[in-house]
Amino acid sequence: MANPTMTADPAAPSTLAERLADFQPETYYDFNDPDAAAQMRAALEQVESELGRTYPNRIGGKDVTMDETYASTNPANPKQVIGHFPRGDEAVGERAVEAASKAFEDWKRVSPAERADYVFKAADVMRRRRLELAAWMVYEVGKSWGEADGDVAEAIDFCDYYARLMLHYGYDEYPLAEHEPEDNQVVYLPLGVGAIIPPWNFPLAILAGMASAAIVSGNTVIIKPASESMAIAWKFVEVMDEAGLPPGVLNLTFGSGSVIGRRLVDHPKTRFVAFTGSKEVGIEINERASEVRPGQIWLKRIVAEMGGKDAIVVAADADLDAAAEGVVTSAFGYQGQKCSACSRAIVVEDVYDDFVGRVVERTSKIDPGSVVDGAWMGPVVSASQFRTVSEYIEVGKSEGRLVLGGEPDDSTGFFIPPTIFADIEPNARLSKEEIFGPVLAITKARDYDHALEIANDTDFGLTGAVYTTDEQKIAQAEEEFHVGNLYINRKCTGALVGVHPFGGFNMSGTDSKAGGRDYLLLFLQPKTIARQKTA
Ligand code: NAP
Ligand code: MG
C-alpha cells in the first residue's frame, strides 16, 4: 500500500479526497519493546562505526570535494566528530544553481506520475532505513530515540503525502465555467530552480518535506542544510540516489548560511526559496530575495516558516494533571528545541499555585543524559545554543522566580536541565523572545479572557493550546487564539502530516501549511489554456 501508483492508473482523474483517502501517517516505534530497543541499539552501533568520514557536495550528479572542510559534532560529546563537510563558498553556490538550471530543462518535462514515483520510492527507502536514519540524528543533534524516530517518520509522511498531492494537481480537472465555443483548461507547471534552506531541529523531516514538495512539483533544487546537521542531510542524498532520482534534480551544498546560503537566495536564476528557521534569518531572506538583480525575469517566491513563542493556557476548570503533563511534554521534549515547543504556560490565578506545583513535580523527574543510551532528554544542539539559552536563564533569574533547574553544565556536553520560571510578567523578555531551549516561563492571569489576551500578545503565532472543560471557553479559544495550530486539551507539539497541517501566522511564517492539501501550490504556477472549437 506504500505506493498508490502501483495499483491504479496514476493519471486517472480523481478528487483530492480520493487521492488522500488511504493516506495514513507512519506509526512510531515503541522502544519499551525489547525487540525494538535491540534494533535501535544495533542501528546506533552501525552508525557509530561510520562516524568521522569526509563527505562531498553533490552538484549536477557529481560528488564535489573541497580542500576546506568543517566538522559536524556530537552535542553530548563535542570531541566526537560526526563527519567532515566541504565549506562551500559563493563559487560552489554559483555552480549548483547552474547545474540545477540545466537539469530543470529535462525534469520539467517528466510526467507528474513519474516524478511522484521517485518520491514514493524515496519514502520506501526511508521506511527500510528508518532506524539507521534515526540513529544518525541521535548522534548528530542529540535527539532521543523517540524524537529521532518521529523525525524519520515525518520525512516519510511528507514524501508519501506530497507525491499523492502531485497526482492530484498533475491530472485532476480544474473546474471551470462552460464557455462555448471553447475548450478551457488549467494546468500546473513547476516554477524552476529553488533554494531549500532547512533548520537543524527537524533535520531530516523538514529538509525532506521542503525538498520533496519542490521536486515532485517538477522543480530542481539546491539544498543548503544547517551547519549543525550535515550528516543527516547527506543521508537524504543517499536516499534519493537509491530512489533513482536523475542527476541535477537534487543538488546539495554545505557551508555557512551567511555565505553560500546568501548566494543561493540572491542568485538571479533562483526562482523560489523554501526556508525554515529563525525569524531573523527569515526576514533577511525575504528582504534580499525581493531585490531584482540583473538578468532576473521574475519576482522570487518565498516560503518561510519561522519561530514561535507558543503558549498553553490553563483555565480554572481544566484537568490539571492532564494540563501539567501536556505542558511538560511540550516544553521539554527535544530539549525545548521545537518551533512548536511550549515556552509559556499562562495559568489563571485560582489554580496557579496548584498548577505550578504539579508542573515542577513532574519535571523534577526528568534528568538529561545520554540519548545514545536511551535518555528521554539530551543536550542542546551546539555551543552557541548553549550560550544563548544560558543567557536567557540569567535574564529569567531577574525577571521571575526560578522554581526548577537553572544550572547549565557544559563540562562534558551541552547539557541544560529543564528550567522553570514562575511569576513571569507578560511583557518580560521571557514572554516575548523565542529561547529555543528547555526553559518554561509561567505567567499568572486574572481570568481566562486575560490569559488569552496574554497568549496573543506576541509577534509570533505558531502553536497554542488551551486546557479547559468548558465548551464556551473552547469556542472562545477557537475564535480568539490567533495561532496556525491550535490544540484543545492536548499538548502543542507533535503535528502529523495530513492530520494537522502545520504552519503559523504573523512572524511565525508565510501562512503556509506543511503537510496540508494546499502546500504543493506554493511550488507550482497555473497556466490557463483556452482553445476555440472549430466547426
Ligand atoms: P537559523 O539559524 O535561522 O538557520 C536556518 C537555516 O538558514 C540554516 O540552514 C542556516 O545555515 C541558514 N542560514 C543562516 N543564515 C542565513 C542567511 N543569511 N541566508 C541564507 N541562509 C541562512 O535557524 P536554526 O537555528 O537552524 O533553527 C531554529 C529556528 O527554526 C527556530 O527559530 C525555530 O522556531 C525555527 N523553526 C520553525 C519551524 C516552523 O515550521 N515554523 C520548524 C522548525 C524550526 P547555517 O546553519 O549554516 O547558519
Ligand atoms: Mg552537531
Side-chain angles (χ1 to χ4, degrees), residues 71-75 80 82 139-142 227-230 381-382:
S72 170
T73 55
N74 178 351
Q80 183 174 47
I82 306 302
Y139 276 107
E140 188 170 42
V141 294
S227 295
E228 284 88 356
S229 54
M230 298 187 281
V381 79
S382 64

Side-chain angles (χ1 to χ4, degrees), residues 216-235:
V216 83
S217 302
N219 305 286
T220 55
V221 302
I222 303 112
I223 302 172
K224 204 311 282 176
S227 295
E228 284 88 356
S229 54
M230 298 187 281
I232 188 66
W234 179 262
K235 293 291 146 188

Side-chain angles (χ1 to χ4, degrees), residues 142-177:
K143 289 212 168 196
S144 68
W145 295 8
E147 293 287 347
D149 176 51
D151 198 314
V152 187
E154 191 175 4
I156 295 168
D157 292 339
F158 277 134
C159 287
D160 190 350
Y161 188 84
Y162 294 147
R164 287 164 195 262
L165 282 187
M166 192 63 238
L167 294 180
H168 172 71
Y169 290 114
Y171 298 103
D172 295 294
E173 252 169 57
Y174 191 118
L176 297 167

